[in-house]
Amino acid sequence: MSDTAPDLVIYGSPVSPFVRKAAACCILKGVDYVVEAVNVFAPPQWFRDISPMKRIPVLRDRSIAAEGISGTIADSSAICAYIEKKHPEPALYPAAAFDHARALF
């Protein structure tokens, strides 16, 4: 087991279906991640800086930046698309255009 923290941090509530969607993407791809809980009803300033609409989840890729807005992506669908591009195997989305669109839907 490594003593280093995973590069990917998912900020939000573990009970949120959108946080679970992003986490499931990581699990299915075998990508290390951590979920850090954030109270969106009273978010800290650093979270408001990376998610001005106070929406969860927000992903931070610490290989890009460990703080600030750099390296962050808000929106679970955008997060899953990022993880898919960064870790293309195994593919989570079908190759056929219509099937791909249906999977996104």
Side-chain angles (χ1 to χ4, degrees):
M1 181 173 208
S2 174
D3 289 336
T4 61
D7 282 340
L8 300 184
V9 181
I10 301 170
Y11 299 115
S13 171
V15 299
S16 162
F18 302 107
V19 170
R20 290 183 305 197
K21 172 183 169 181
C25 183
C26 290
I27 291 167
L28 290 168
K29 289 191 153 292
V31 175
D32 289 337
Y33 73 99
V34 64
V35 173
E36 290 189 15
V38 173
N39 178 355
V40 294
F41 299 108
Q45 184 60 49
W46 65 264
F47 184 77
R48 283 182 272 159
D49 293 343
I50 63 173
S51 183
M53 306 223 11
K54 298 190 290 185
R55 297 182 76 179
I56 57 171
V58 174
L59 176 83
R60 171 172 304 284
D61 187 337
R62 289 192 272 222
S63 72
I64 297 172
E67 55 187 44
I69 196 165
S70 294
T72 62
I73 302 168
D75 181 76
S76 61
S77 293
I79 291 167
C80 291
Y82 174 73
I83 294 167
E84 179 79 357
K85 286 290 188 181
K86 186 167 181 170
H87 303 278
E89 296 297 327
L92 294 181
Y93 298 104
F98 184 79
D99 294 337
H100 183 91
R102 292 290 296 173
L104 292 174
F105 174 69

